[in-house]
Amino acid sequence: LAGNSTGDCLLYGSEVSRLCYECDTCKAGFLKTLRDQWRMVAFVCLGVSLLLLVVYIFGCCAYRSAKRREGFFGKVAGVK
């Protein structure tokens, strides 16, 4: 961002100890960075949620299938 090009930000400096959020240009840059970071976090959370949903669905299907088969959890072939 070119803070001084708009004349809005006269406090801008590249010093780490002096942060400038008193002008619209610096606020816009900060909000854009924050929005981009949260967008990435949202995509990661969505992906993890979908993965967990798929694992849960497969687990439920496997559990129902195993329950229907006699001998999987209950009787073992050859043991009385």
Side-chain angles (χ1 to χ4, degrees):
L1 290 172
N4 290 330
S5 66
T6 61
D8 180 39
C9 185
L10 300 175
L11 301 173
Y12 179 78
S14 59
E15 297 174 22
V16 178
S17 62
R18 183 177 70 173
L19 298 175
C20 169
Y21 297 115
E22 297 299 321
C23 62
D24 293 335
T25 304
C26 293
K27 288 178 187 176
F30 175 73
L31 289 176
K32 182 183 180 328
T33 303
L34 192 64
R35 189 172 36 240
D36 291 344
Q37 289 173 353
W38 276 106
R39 184 175 296 141
M40 191 169 90
V41 170
F43 284 134
V44 168
C45 287
L46 180 65
V48 169
S49 298
L50 289 175
L51 178 68
L52 288 175
L53 180 67
V54 168
V55 168
Y56 178 76
I57 289 172
F58 280 133
C60 288
C61 291
Y63 179 73
R64 285 183 189 168
S65 175
K67 237 172 113 174
R68 274 184 272 176
R69 284 193 220 168
E70 186 179 15
F72 191 78
F73 286 121
K75 295 186 214 172
V76 177
V79 177
K80 294 183 179 184

